[in-house]
């Protein structure tokens, strides 16, 4: 099960989905409303209840916070984080970033309390520098804003405490610094792989992302 992050939707997984399906996996992508952590967790839990058998839950970026809470479901057997946020129990994303010396900056919510990343040039620079500019423009056109208040929502029980985890660290990331990703991966005890990618590795390096998910699924099944 694949859980997208902010400024994206489930279609951002399309290249990874096709590769996983070719490997024989049943794949489902969640459509997060991005209106609060609780709303996104509820959306993920609804999809989890529709699955049969064990589930490997994969979260990108903000989606890491979502799977950290939703991953407590009994059918979730493992967690995969892609340049993702993984707060601890009782901690919010904002708390996590402050703890790691990387407080959120440069994002101003609009009058509706939403944070947007709909400027194509900024999207390209921050999120997807290793994708062609035309592809980044298309992604910026369909980006989904996230409610700023969600970054203050706290995790109740961090699932990574009791379930195996894997982490994909993206070393060319301009959205979540690689050193912050490394600190998160070490804190949660994840098996870590690093690749030279922007924040949007699921689009720029889908083969490597799919291979990590496949590896995690095989190790979880042992």
């Amino acid at each position: 099960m694949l859980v997208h992050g902010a400024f994206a939707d489930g279609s951002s997984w399309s290249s990874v989905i096709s590769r996983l399906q070719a490997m024989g996996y049943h794949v489902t992508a969640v459509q997060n409303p991005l209106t609060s952590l609780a709303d996104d967790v509820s959306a993920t839990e609804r999809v989890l209840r529709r699955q049969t058998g064990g589930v490997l839950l994969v979260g990108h970026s903000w989606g890491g916070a979502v799977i950290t809470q939703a991953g407590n479901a009994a059918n979730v057997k493992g967690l995969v984080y892609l340049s993702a946020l993984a707060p601890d129990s009782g901690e919010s994303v904002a708390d996590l970033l402050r703890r790691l010396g990387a407080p959120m900056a440069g994002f101003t919510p609009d009058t509706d309390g939403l944070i947007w990343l709909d400027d194509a040039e900024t999207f390209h620079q921050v999120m997807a520098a290793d994708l062609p500019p035309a592809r980044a423009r298309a992604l910026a056109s369909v980006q989904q804003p996230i409610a700023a208040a969600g970054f203050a929502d706290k995790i109740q029980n961090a699932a990574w405490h009791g379930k195996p985890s894997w982490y994909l660290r993206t070393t060319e990331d301009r959205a979540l610094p690689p050193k912050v990703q490394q600190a998160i991966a070490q804190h949660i005890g994840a098996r870590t792989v690093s690749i030279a990618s922007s924040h949007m590795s699921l689009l720029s390096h889908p083969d490597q992302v799919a291979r990590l998910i496949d590896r995690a699924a095989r190790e979880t099944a042992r």
Side-chain angles (χ1 to χ4, degrees), residues 2-166:
L2 310 175
V3 183
H4 68 82
F7 317 122
D9 65 12
S11 68
S12 61
W13 292 105
S14 57
S15 297
V16 174
I17 289 171
S18 63
R19 285 160 174 78
L20 291 175
Q21 289 177 335
M23 296 176 187
Y25 289 104
H26 172 73
V27 188
T28 304
V30 177
Q31 293 287 3
N32 284 323
L34 301 177
T35 46
S36 71
L37 176 61
D39 289 347
D40 288 356
V41 169
S42 292
T44 301
E45 289 174 338
R46 285 193 293 271
V47 180
L48 277 169
R49 288 193 290 270
R50 296 187 60 81
Q51 308 307 304
T52 57
V55 176
L56 184 68
L57 202 51
V58 184
H60 174 244
S61 194
W62 161 260
V66 179
I67 71 169
T68 294
Q69 182 62 50
N72 289 291
N75 59 341
V76 174
K77 305 305 179 184
L79 306 164
V80 179
Y81 293 88
L82 307 181
S83 50
L85 300 155
D88 209 333
S89 302
E91 188 175 54
S92 69
V93 164
D95 294 335
L96 167 67
L97 293 174
R98 280 194 295 268
R99 171 165 61 82
L100 296 179
M104 293 182 62
F107 291 107
T108 303
D110 65 10
T111 55
D112 295 314
L114 300 175
I115 297 174
W116 300 74
L117 196 59
D118 51 356
D119 177 79
E121 183 175 347
T122 302
F123 191 101
H124 189 212
Q125 292 176 354
V126 174
M127 300 285 284
D130 54 355
L131 288 174
R135 186 76 184 280
R137 285 196 299 272
L139 292 169
S141 295
V142 298
Q143 65 84 49
Q144 298 298 303
I146 186 169
F151 295 117
D153 294 340
K154 296 185 184 294
I155 298 294
Q156 296 175 9
N157 180 34
W160 49 260
H161 279 292
K163 299 189 179 182
S165 61
W166 291 259

Side-chain angles (χ1 to χ4, degrees), residues 184-197:
I184 292 171
Q186 289 177 343
H187 183 69
I188 69 175
R191 298 160 224 192
T192 305
V193 173
S194 297
I195 64 172
S197 172

